[in-house]
Amino acid sequence: MTTRATSGSVPSTDFHLHRTTDRTEFRDTQRRPGFKDTFSALQVRNFRLLVSGLLVSSTGGWIQRIAQDWLVLTLTGSATAVGITTALQFLPTLALGLFGGVIADRFPKRKILLVTQSTMGTCAGVLALTAFTGQVQVWHVYTMAFFLGLATAVDNPTRQSFVTELVPRDTVRNAISMVSSTFQLGSLIGPALGGLLLGTIGAGWSFALNGLTFFASISALLRMRESEMPGLHAARKASAGMRIRDGLRDGLRYAFHEPAVRWAIALVGIYGMFTISLPVTLTAFADRVFHTGASGYGVLNSVVALGALAGALLSARRIRPSRLRNLIGIACLLTVTEVLAAIQPSLWTFVPVLASMGMATLMFLTAAQSMVQLTTPDGLRGRVSGIYNLVFIGGGAIGGPTVGFLAQHFGARSALLIAGLVPAIATVAIGLRLRRDGQFRLVLVRTRSPWHQVPVRLNLEQTEIQLSTPRTTPVARTSRPFVLGRRQHARMDSHLRPMRARRRPQHHQ
């Protein structure tokens, strides 16, 4: 026996897939996931090309970020200037993230990615050229960071929605998990390689190497075959003739009225505000709690990245579609790990809990993003992804200074404890709201029966009708309640109407 949520109509429409549930497909999701399910999306050639290009470009992006921050610190000697560089890189997403989603839905996504990747490579080349000539100034870095942010504001929603066009629908979750694993690998390799290059050959060569990495992603996009993209034609047909203003309004309306998208984005915003600002808290832990210095801070970040990589691989093995109850369960697990990490007495007990926190964080983000992508129709995925990125990055922009203020005035442990308790309270409140709305109501379904039928719920009324016995039998009359649907039937006593031939009973459907 298995459980499945129903909507009370016929045919039954899966709430998160927006399509009629097929019995064969539902039966296939009940099997136990195996090792081959972890990399099932890599069987698609176009997706393999995308992942390989992203791995190289994301590694180069981390190399440039390390070199960029160090260059600004060298030129100005101010940590505030480093923060301004980071803010300029994320400001376009906050200001133009919604329009980036509209662009992703309006135009062919592969061509958009070619433009954005070329722009990012050009920014890296300009920084490398100014560094080689010795004429680099801080405003050069600020300008290139701003243009990089403009390209990222369009690139992120386009890439996220482009994944659903490359792979079949039943492997979308696995594909999203593989993309997350790719970025986690880049975050592991990139900072270490960037620090090595920065100390040996300088910032200019780091920028040049990052510019060369974009040739891998551009060539991968050029080698893709549109004839092997299962979701390409549906997405283009859904967004044909869309106007920018109407598209933006429709995306906001859908994200607000669809419960799965609304609550997933709300949870991502809450956790982005408190939980995703973990590096700010780790700085205080390394400096004031465990006194490990900069090297210890790097080790703690590597532990988080290793846990996140494990979480991405675990999410890739999951073959069932994400649901709100799964998302809330993973969110609760994340808050528990944060609270446990805040009360650990030593570094040796803090490290394994920190790895668990990284794993739960990546599982939560993968579940939220896959549910948003699978729930959203073809013509709205770019716009909804833009809203998702806007809320996520906006929450981090607000939560970073907030968590830093708490860590500075109340201590690192108190800041991490508050960052876990506040999202926990919000998660419980959302769960109670969903329970009140009936989102968690389940119906048992016999999936192995060849006569499997979708449960039907009729608006039935109870009506009392009186049954009488024939005149020849001296038995007192009795009344018995019967459940009838749609209309009320009343039988007349037999002595008030002529006798007629008895017919076979007709059953109400």
Side-chain angles (χ1 to χ4, degrees):
M1 302 287 287
T2 58
T3 59
R4 177 162 58 92
T6 60
S7 59
S9 60
V10 180
S12 177
T13 302
D14 195 307
F15 181 74
H16 296 291
L17 297 183
H18 281 267
R19 59 175 179 175
T20 303
T21 303
D22 181 57
R23 182 176 70 251
T24 304
E25 179 184 0
F26 183 75
R27 184 172 60 246
D28 291 341
T29 61
Q30 306 309 307
R31 63 182 177 84
R32 188 180 183 85
F35 179 77
K36 64 179 182 180
D37 297 314
T38 306
F39 306 99
S40 59
L42 293 179
Q43 298 176 4
V44 181
R45 176 183 178 274
N46 289 336
F47 183 73
R48 288 199 305 269
L49 291 172
L50 178 67
V51 168
S52 60
L54 287 178
L55 177 60
V56 177
S57 62
S58 63
T59 304
W62 277 102
I63 293 174
Q64 173 166 330
R65 183 171 182 179
I66 297 296
Q68 175 182 278
D69 293 346
W70 183 259
L71 179 61
V72 172
L73 186 62
T74 303
L75 293 174
T76 62
S78 172
T80 305
V82 179
I84 293 174
T85 307
T86 305
L88 287 173
Q89 194 165 332
F90 289 106
L91 181 62
T93 301
L94 297 177
L96 305 173
L98 297 179
F99 294 97
V102 175
I103 293 173
D105 282 334
R106 180 64 182 84
F107 302 101
K109 296 180 177 58
R110 189 164 71 108
K111 295 181 179 179
I112 296 175
L113 290 176
L114 287 172
V115 174
T116 56
Q117 295 292 303
S118 301
T119 304
M120 293 178 183
T122 303
C123 292
V126 171
L127 284 176
L129 183 61
T130 54
F132 286 145
T133 57
Q135 302 297 324
V136 61
Q137 298 181 17
V138 67
W139 69 268
H140 294 150
V141 184
Y142 286 167
T143 305
M144 291 300 103
F146 181 74
F147 279 104
L148 183 63
L150 286 176
T152 304
V154 181
D155 185 86
N156 282 340
T158 306
R159 185 186 65 250
Q160 292 172 2
S161 56
F162 187 52
V163 171
T164 61
E165 298 183 6
L166 298 180
V167 298
R169 195 178 185 95
D170 55 350
T171 58
V172 168
R173 180 187 175 92
N174 180 264
I176 294 174
S177 301
M178 294 304 300
V179 172
S180 300
S181 303
T182 301
F183 279 101
Q184 292 305 316
L185 281 175
S187 65
L188 283 174
I189 302 172
L193 187 58
L196 179 63
L197 293 175
L198 190 62
T200 55
I201 59 179
W205 287 105
S206 299
F207 295 141
L209 180 60
N210 179 42
L212 293 176
T213 59
F214 286 98
F215 283 101
S217 58
I218 293 173
S219 62
L221 290 169
L222 292 174
R223 293 175 59 191
M224 290 182 182
R225 302 169 183 167
E226 292 189 354
S227 59
E228 299 178 3
M229 299 181 185
L232 177 63
H233 299 291
R236 289 186 178 180
K237 182 179 179 181
S239 59
M242 181 189 67
R243 295 188 299 177
I244 299 295
R245 183 183 62 183
D246 296 337
L248 183 60
R249 181 189 59 192
D250 293 341
L252 290 172
R253 183 181 301 173
Y254 178 83
F256 179 78
H257 288 286
E258 177 61 39
V261 177
R262 180 175 70 243
W263 294 119
I265 292 179
L267 285 171
V268 165
I270 294 170
Y271 281 84
M273 185 180 300
F274 291 97
T275 305
I276 312 302
S277 303
L278 184 62
V280 179
T281 313
L282 291 182
T283 304
F285 267 93
D287 185 32
R288 303 178 184 178
V289 179
F290 300 122
H291 306 287
T292 57
S295 60
Y297 174 67
V299 171
L300 293 180
N301 279 283
S302 300
V303 169
V304 175
L306 286 174
L309 178 61
L313 294 177
L314 287 176
S315 298
R317 293 188 62 181
R318 184 176 176 86
I319 58 179
R320 294 186 181 184
S322 300
R323 301 188 181 226
L324 281 172
R325 59 176 178 269
N326 305 127
L327 185 62
I328 290 177
I330 298 173
C332 293
L333 176 64
L334 178 55
T335 57
V336 169
T337 57
E338 282 192 306
V339 173
L340 290 177
I343 61 177
Q344 294 306 310
S346 66
L347 180 63
W348 299 107
T349 58
F350 180 76
V351 167
V353 180
L354 187 64
S356 302
M357 189 191 308
M359 181 180 65
T361 301
L362 221 291
M363 292 177 64
F364 169 76
L365 293 177
T366 302
Q369 187 177 350
S370 62
M371 186 169 65
V372 168
Q373 294 290 334
L374 288 172
T375 304
T376 307
D378 295 327
L380 289 171
R381 285 200 182 98
R383 281 163 280 180
V384 175
S385 297
I387 299 172
Y388 177 94
N389 292 323
L390 174 64
V391 173
F392 178 65
I393 295 178
I398 298 174
T402 304
V403 175
F405 176 82
L406 294 175
Q408 182 177 356
H409 292 82
F410 300 99
R413 295 186 184 276
S414 299
L416 187 58
L417 185 63
I418 294 174
L421 291 178
V422 173
I425 295 173
T427 303
V428 172
I430 292 176
L432 294 176
R433 171 66 183 273
L434 292 174
R435 182 182 179 184
R436 189 186 68 180
D437 294 342
Q439 297 292 339
F440 293 161
R441 194 162 42 191
L442 304 176
V443 175
L444 294 178
V445 179
R446 299 182 64 90
T447 58
R448 296 183 178 180
S449 172
W451 305 102
H452 166 68
Q453 297 291 334
V454 179
V456 179
R457 294 179 180 176
L458 299 178
N459 295 325
L460 302 179
E461 301 176 357
Q462 283 192 347
T463 304
E464 292 188 0
I465 62 174
Q466 294 184 352
L467 298 179
S468 60
T469 57
R471 288 179 298 176
T472 56
T473 306
V475 180
R477 299 175 180 174
T478 59
S479 61
R480 182 187 304 176
F482 282 83
V483 178
L484 299 177
R486 300 297 181 185
R487 55 181 181 175
Q488 299 179 356
H489 297 264
R491 291 183 57 183
M492 300 175 58
D493 290 340
S494 58
H495 67 278
L496 299 178
R497 60 179 181 176
M499 299 294 293
R500 59 181 178 180
R502 185 176 182 181
R503 297 185 300 176
R504 297 182 62 182
Q506 295 181 353
H507 297 281
H508 296 281
Q509 298 295 329

